[in-house]
Amino acid sequence: MLPPDLLLPLFEWLDTLRIGDWISTSSYAAPLINVAHILALVVLFGSLLIVDVRLLGRGMTQQPVAKVARAARPWLIGALICMLLTGVPQVLSLPIREYYSPFFWMKMQLLLFTLIFTFTLRHKVTMADPARVGPVWGKVVGLVSIALWTWVAVEGRLIGLLS
Amino acid sequence: MSLRPLFEWVHAFPSSIAMRESLYAFPVLLTLHLISLAMFAGLVVMMDLRLLGVAYRGTPFSEVQRRLFPWQMVGMVVTSIAGLLLFYMQPMRYFGKVLYWIKIALIVLAGVNALLFHFTTYRSIAKWDTAGPPLGAKVAGVLSLAMWAGIVSFGRLTAYDWWTYE
């Protein structure tokens, strides 16, 4: 999955801004920002899985799906904000490397799709009356959610490993 | 007595060498280790947040604990196997890494913390399941969150040569 050429000037421009220089010149900044990114990933996966497992008809089955989803929501959104705050500086510190990494572009496109899925379809299904959703759709949405977020995380890990 | 010969012995196993020479073993195992860890530790964090009374307050703690436990175990088994294989393929890489050994010590402590909680404070669960947890439960929750944050962080930092000896 290659980046659209018209974005190259944007990444070259980001490179000339040198906003991320304090990260790439410090031997501690990049590792510590990445550690924070992964700590946020742990909270993100917890807040997703507790709901997705419930959608599969397992986990906290004595509670309605909507109740579990509402309780998980602030942790999901909080974790996503922390992911963004620790993710953007990592791109700004090495814009050209990110631009030429196929994993970066794969991750970004998947992430966009997965966010839209999470806040539209998944949100609707978790909040809807279970009788109207039926037994199948909840399971499909739960499985798709786990698969998509896992895939986003895999691509993210591979940016650092294989770029 | 030094453990070094033991590590060198494992390092020379043909299967350990074969895994080091493989292009795929390291990235595949490391990615699997991270993803299953995020699932396992993520559900542990959700449970600890309920224990502290800051999330899922509408659900009794015993239900959160019992219902998430099998899923936590699946994540723990997968991340442990991947982790042991990562160690098996590069024992000499981790031998002199202080952060790695702190991580292993924290895993042991987190296990002791969970068992202690289970066999002491958790026995009176009927008294505090829907109300506020006692001090002992809150201490166990805070310790668990702190130790898992440390385990995840130190694990990631073993990628660098900080605090590494020959």
Side-chain angles (χ1 to χ4, degrees):
Chain A
M1 193 134 320
L2 278 171
D5 287 348
L6 57 122
L7 286 177
L8 181 57
L10 172 70
F11 279 72
E12 283 173 338
W13 176 71
L14 285 174
D15 197 46
T16 60
L17 290 182
R18 312 208 157 273
I19 307 169
D21 268 16
W22 64 277
I23 300 170
S24 34
T25 53
S26 155
S27 45
Y28 297 103
L32 293 180
I33 290 171
N34 195 260
V35 162
H37 198 61
I38 288 171
L39 290 175
L41 174 76
V42 168
V43 177
L44 176 72
F45 267 45
S47 65
L48 286 165
L49 268 185
I50 198 169
V51 178
D52 289 336
V53 158
R54 178 65 191 80
L55 279 170
L56 293 176
R58 311 290 176 90
M60 289 151 49
T61 44
Q62 273 140 306
Q63 312 296 325
V65 178
K67 183 179 169 187
V68 180
R70 248 194 305 271
R73 205 170 159 77
W75 301 94
L76 170 67
I77 292 173
L80 282 172
I81 291 171
C82 292
M83 293 300 279
L84 185 75
L85 291 178
T86 51
V88 170
Q90 295 188 71
V91 178
L92 290 178
S93 72
L94 291 162
I96 300 301
R97 187 194 81 163
E98 301 287 292
Y99 179 82
Y100 285 108
S101 168
F103 305 106
F104 172 73
W105 290 102
M106 192 67 197
K107 178 184 177 182
M108 288 306 127
Q109 291 170 53
L110 269 171
L111 179 60
L112 182 66
F113 179 78
T114 306
L115 283 172
I116 293 170
F117 164 82
T118 302
F119 288 100
T120 57
L121 194 63
R122 183 176 179 274
H123 178 69
K124 259 202 160 69
V125 167
T126 53
M127 291 302 155
D129 173 11
R132 267 193 56 222
V133 176
V136 179
W137 278 108
K139 291 194 171 75
V140 172
V141 167
L143 276 179
V144 169
S145 172
I146 293 172
L148 283 174
W149 282 109
T150 300
W151 196 2
V152 172
V154 166
E155 298 291 338
R157 177 63 273 202
L158 294 181
I159 297 172
L161 268 181
L162 301 179
S163 291
Chain B
M1 192 196 78
S2 167
L3 286 172
R4 196 185 176 90
L6 179 69
F7 281 70
E8 283 171 342
W9 182 57
V10 174
H11 186 81
F13 281 2
S15 51
S16 176
I17 295 170
M19 287 172 78
R20 280 201 297 283
E21 285 173 349
S22 159
L23 277 177
Y24 299 104
F26 185 71
V28 168
L29 286 172
L30 190 63
T31 304
L32 187 66
H33 183 59
L34 171 73
I35 305 293
S36 49
L37 169 74
M39 294 179 169
F40 161 57
L43 289 177
V44 169
V45 168
M46 294 300 117
M47 180 185 73
D48 287 337
L49 292 174
R50 172 61 189 90
L51 184 57
L52 295 175
V54 295
Y56 311 102
R57 265 178 294 198
T59 308
F61 173 73
S62 64
E63 190 187 337
V64 177
Q65 192 276 328
R66 225 163 1 106
R67 292 311 187 105
L68 295 187
F69 184 73
W71 300 88
Q72 293 167 346
M73 287 306 103
V74 171
M76 194 192 80
V77 167
V78 175
T79 202
S80 302
I81 292 173
L84 285 170
L85 286 171
L86 284 166
F87 179 78
Y88 177 78
M89 69 180 280
Q90 293 181 308
M92 293 314 292
R93 174 182 171 166
Y94 298 106
F95 178 73
K97 255 186 219 298
V98 176
L99 289 179
Y100 176 79
W101 293 109
I102 295 177
K103 170 186 166 169
I104 298 301
L106 281 175
I107 292 174
V108 173
L109 289 175
V112 170
N113 180 50
L115 285 175
L116 268 179
F117 168 74
H118 195 79
F119 289 111
T120 60
T121 321
Y122 193 71
R123 300 186 79 160
S124 60
I125 181 76
K127 274 185 251 164
W128 52 270
D129 206 3
T130 46
L135 183 65
K138 288 192 171 173
V139 170
V142 169
L143 280 176
S144 171
L145 284 176
M147 288 193 285
W148 283 107
I151 292 162
V152 172
S153 304
F154 294 144
R156 179 65 185 84
L157 292 176
T158 58
Y160 306 93
D161 55 5
W162 302 2
W163 219 355
T164 299
Y165 301 94
E166 267 309 297

